[in-house]
Amino acid sequence: MRKMLAAVSRVLSGAAQKPASRVLVASRNFANDATFEIKKCDLHRLEEGPPVTTVLTREDGLKYYRMMQTVRRMELKADQLYKQKIIRGFCHLCDGQEACCVGLEAGINPTDHLITAYRAHGFTFTRGLTVREILAELTGRRGGCAKGKGGSMHMYAKNFYGGNGIVGAQGQIFEAYNMAALWKLPCIFICENNRYGMGTSVERAAASTDYYKRGDFIPGLRVDGMDVLCVREATKFAASHCRSGKGPILMELQTYRYHGHSMSDPGVSYRTREEIQEVRSKSDPIMLLKDRMVNSNLASVEELKEIDVEVRKEIEDAAQFATADPEPPLEELGYHIYSNEPPFEVRGANQWIKFKSVS
């Protein structure tokens, strides 16, 4: 028995001292950047437009991917919370349109001001608010970005004034076009053309669907709104146009929403499921960026999957907060009407009900 143990010991000792012939290395070298061709924009009253090639750095690519995935997962969670009746009232989701808000933010400065319509969740996130603040606002909780009083259509952040419930109503958009052109205001007007106005296709609603020409004397661009790089470059071009003193410019972002107009709209009574699936399979903005990054060695599939896992956890944590955080008390109903005013009384539903307003 002792001889056997000694033999085994010598064998193991020899094996330990013998150098390995092959070593598995798990590291991988990624490219720092890559150049991509992007779709040429259609132009109105412009001699030159945005570039048709652009450089994407690995750092920016990972950032855009994470942001778009976060917006996508946040909207899907909002859909779930709405169907559980935890979110009430109006709720307009922007999944499918992530390249618009992410690309736009990549093309402007944090000090620039942004006003948007009611499909505002993605813009609220890209302007700097957290998923927790957005979902808590949707569920009407005190931790929401508007302290639970605004909901889906009324979210605000620094230099962000949206959303707004009425879009271009009663000709006001054309009045704004005219004033901006007369005064040469540094304003970018953006039409997120997701092909449908509520349940009506653009072809049925408009004799001319060239929305980028609707500014008449204002120059315009028609942009591939499903490509985050195309939106980024077009936005940089438009911002440069405005900052140089040339006045306003109009951008039409051709995009697509996967959900219906709002949560009360199933989204398949005026379009087919096959149409939605075709856009998902051929033009999805997250898929397009992912394929570019992987094929150009800016990232690996495994690395992007890790981001997906991290994003899902962030969304779940935010959803738990949004359902556990308390609602604002009734006595705070009149709070925050003004930003910096002495307290005053606000009349309620009748003259005998009074609320105190505190800035």
Side-chain angles (χ1 to χ4, degrees), residues 34-319:
T35 301
F36 298 102
E37 293 184 357
I38 54 177
K39 185 178 179 180
K40 183 179 180 181
C41 296
D42 295 320
L43 307 180
H44 172 64
R45 290 186 175 272
L46 289 167
E47 294 182 1
E48 295 182 357
V52 292
T53 61
T54 186
V55 175
L56 176 66
T57 65
R58 168 174 157 80
E59 180 182 3
D60 282 345
L62 292 174
K63 180 173 71 172
Y64 301 159
Y65 182 82
R66 182 182 291 271
M67 292 178 74
M68 288 200 291
Q69 274 289 24
T70 300
V71 173
R72 175 72 56 86
R73 292 292 168 183
M74 178 178 69
E75 295 296 69
L76 295 179
K77 177 56 68 173
D79 171 88
Q80 179 184 345
L81 293 173
Y82 195 96
K83 289 172 179 175
Q84 294 172 348
K85 298 186 177 180
I86 297 173
I87 295 175
R88 297 298 188 101
F90 292 105
C91 185
H92 304 83
L93 304 180
C94 69
D95 50 315
Q97 301 183 201
E98 295 87 356
C100 295
C101 56
V102 174
L104 176 65
E105 189 63 35
I108 60 175
N109 302 325
T111 52
D112 292 327
H113 301 265
L114 178 64
I115 305 171
T116 188
Y118 46 72
R119 205 175 303 281
H121 307 163
F123 288 105
T124 308
F125 174 73
T126 58
R127 284 268 86 184
L129 291 186
T130 64
V131 178
R132 174 180 287 210
E133 291 172 298
I134 296 169
L135 289 183
E137 187 59 38
L138 287 172
T139 58
R141 307 306 170 105
R142 296 182 70 175
C145 56
K147 302 191 183 300
K149 300 175 185 177
S152 176
M153 294 195 293
H154 305 288
M155 295 185 177
Y156 307 92
K158 185 175 178 59
N159 298 328
F160 175 64
Y161 315 96
N164 296 277
I166 300 178
V167 185
Q170 292 83 38
Q172 293 168 0
I173 188 65
F174 295 102
E175 294 173 10
Y177 286 164
N178 186 54
M179 292 172 68
L182 284 172
W183 296 343
K184 288 191 175 298
L185 299 180
C187 181
I188 305 173
F189 293 98
I190 298 174
C191 168
E192 288 181 274
N193 179 8
N194 59 25
R195 303 192 196 178
Y196 295 92
M198 299 184 72
T200 305
S201 67
V202 293
E203 292 80 12
R204 291 182 58 207
S208 171
T209 58
D210 293 335
Y211 295 104
Y212 70 109
K213 297 180 179 179
R214 291 288 183 94
D216 197 2
F217 288 100
I218 298 177
L221 301 166
R222 182 156 58 190
V223 184
D224 181 359
M226 301 299 275
D227 182 352
V228 66
L229 300 184
C230 200
V231 176
R232 182 188 70 177
E233 295 306 313
T235 304
K236 286 181 178 179
F237 175 88
S240 177
H241 174 96
C242 292
R243 298 189 208 281
S244 65
K246 296 179 182 178
I249 192 168
L250 175 59
M251 287 204 310
E252 176 189 345
L253 306 182
Q254 292 189 310
T255 184
Y256 197 84
R257 56 170 164 80
Y258 295 153
H259 267 85
H261 168 72
S262 67
M263 287 302 298
S264 60
D265 170 20
V268 290
S269 58
Y270 48 86
R271 59 182 183 177
T272 64
R273 297 182 188 274
E274 289 74 22
E275 176 187 305
I276 302 171
Q277 187 55 42
E278 183 179 13
V279 176
R280 281 184 181 273
S281 62
K282 295 181 179 180
S283 305
D284 183 79
I286 299 175
M287 178 193 71
L288 290 176
L289 179 62
K290 178 181 179 179
D291 289 347
R292 275 177 170 161
M293 294 186 68
V294 172
N295 294 336
S296 301
N297 196 35
L298 291 175
S300 66
V301 173
E302 294 74 21
E303 185 178 20
L304 298 179
K305 284 182 178 179
E306 288 179 7
I307 292 177
D308 296 346
V309 172
E310 292 169 3
V311 167
R312 287 192 182 96
K313 184 180 185 306
E314 180 187 0
I315 301 300
E316 288 301 323
D317 291 345

Side-chain angles (χ1 to χ4, degrees), residues 295-357:
N295 294 336
S296 301
N297 196 35
L298 291 175
S300 66
V301 173
E302 294 74 21
E303 185 178 20
L304 298 179
K305 284 182 178 179
E306 288 179 7
I307 292 177
D308 296 346
V309 172
E310 292 169 3
V311 167
R312 287 192 182 96
K313 184 180 185 306
E314 180 187 0
I315 301 300
E316 288 301 323
D317 291 345
Q320 289 184 16
F321 172 80
T323 54
D325 195 48
E327 297 179 351
L330 183 61
E331 57 267 21
E332 292 185 7
L333 184 63
Y335 282 22
H336 310 115
I337 294 176
Y338 296 103
S339 64
N340 190 21
E341 290 288 329
F344 62 95
E345 283 191 341
V346 179
R347 175 179 161 166
N350 60 57
Q351 60 183 325
W352 297 282
I353 300 176
K354 302 287 185 181
F355 295 102
K356 190 174 183 178
S357 180

